[in-house]
Amino acid sequence: MTEEEYKQSIELLRSGFVLRGRQIRPNDRIASVEMLQAVLGLRLGDVLNLRMNSFVKDGSLWKLDIREEKTGKVRNFTVPIEVYTFIQDYAYANNIGKDCKLFPISTRQVEMHLSKVFQYMNLSLRNHGSHSYRKFFSQRVYLESDYDIELVRVLLQHSDVRTTQRYLGIGKKQVEEALASTSKFLV
């Protein structure tokens, strides 16, 4: 997912649109879910299980304290204050208590709504879904960290860097091309 596709999909989720003559209503809840996937790198199920008490104050910082649904791994990374404030504002605006799920919706509801967004955008449903936002996160971190694949692996909590390489789309062909480009330094 490109940055432009990310921004367009969030805007469509927030504003609504017409798909094949049918009005698709705005859904700020799903927009918020996908923004959190894109800024925290969480899987959809983990975002849907978040509660305000999933965030724990640690000095002047806030940490995410959850057990990942898929892997069972504990995730307790620091959350940027802007993200925590966004979540806190969302909970307040929607009258959500600290022990209640922030997003009381199903994975299927999210995926169904996203499929309409991606159809509207003429993007392949085979290659686009909620997981695209987690991959978007990984690609942004990879580029902004000066290609630190180990950092991305740690943030995604992958056990093997090969899984992270697949997320980033780094394949054998790219590695071979990069190595071939260095041959010009033979003198």
Side-chain angles (χ1 to χ4, degrees):
M1 175 180 285
T2 66
E3 187 172 342
E4 294 77 28
E5 291 168 343
Y6 167 75
K7 288 178 180 178
Q8 183 183 8
S9 69
I10 297 300
E11 178 56 32
L12 289 168
L13 286 165
R14 285 185 156 166
S15 64
F17 52 96
V18 176
L19 179 65
R20 286 182 249 165
R22 186 167 167 239
Q23 179 65 43
I24 308 300
R25 285 186 262 162
N27 195 316
D28 192 55
R29 179 184 291 166
I30 293 176
S32 297
V33 165
E34 296 311 336
M35 284 189 286
L36 289 177
Q37 277 196 275
V39 299
L40 295 175
L42 297 174
R43 291 178 187 87
L44 177 58
D46 294 328
V47 173
L48 295 180
N49 286 324
L50 287 177
R51 302 166 191 273
M52 280 309 297
N53 62 9
S54 300
F55 300 89
V56 179
K57 189 140 174 84
D58 184 13
S60 62
L61 304 173
W62 288 93
K63 290 197 174 222
L64 181 62
D65 186 25
I66 63 169
R67 184 169 298 279
E68 291 182 339
E69 185 178 68
K70 180 179 178 182
T71 65
K73 293 177 183 175
V74 172
R75 186 176 187 104
N76 60 359
F77 294 127
T78 300
V79 175
I81 191 65
E82 299 86 359
V83 175
Y84 178 76
T85 301
F86 172 83
I87 294 166
Q88 190 176 38
D89 291 348
Y90 174 87
Y92 181 77
N94 291 283
N95 200 28
I96 299 170
K98 66 178 182 156
D99 297 325
C100 299
K101 282 187 174 186
L102 290 167
F103 308 104
I105 54 177
S106 71
T107 299
R108 181 165 168 70
Q109 287 172 295
V110 173
E111 291 291 1
M112 294 285 288
H113 203 83
L114 284 178
S115 73
K116 293 171 187 165
V117 168
F118 294 136
Q119 284 175 40
Y120 181 85
M121 293 172 63
N122 291 317
L123 297 174
S124 162
L125 295 180
R126 182 178 178 173
N127 297 325
H128 292 83
S130 67
H131 216 61
S132 299
Y133 296 90
R134 179 170 156 89
K135 287 183 177 183
F136 177 76
F137 166 83
S138 67
Q139 292 162 348
R140 298 307 311 159
V141 170
Y142 182 65
L143 293 172
E144 292 172 14
S145 69
D146 208 18
Y147 308 102
D148 187 343
I149 196 165
E150 180 61 15
L151 173 63
V152 177
R153 186 197 67 75
V154 168
L155 289 172
L156 294 178
Q157 298 203 159
H158 287 156
S159 299
D160 191 326
V161 75
R162 289 177 292 193
T163 305
T164 309
Q165 287 174 318
R166 283 194 306 272
Y167 262 63
L168 299 172
I170 300 171
K172 186 177 180 182
K173 181 181 175 192
Q174 285 177 293
V175 171
E176 288 172 2
E177 287 173 358
L179 289 172
S181 73
T182 62
S183 64
K184 65 184 174 195
F185 296 109
L186 291 173
V187 286

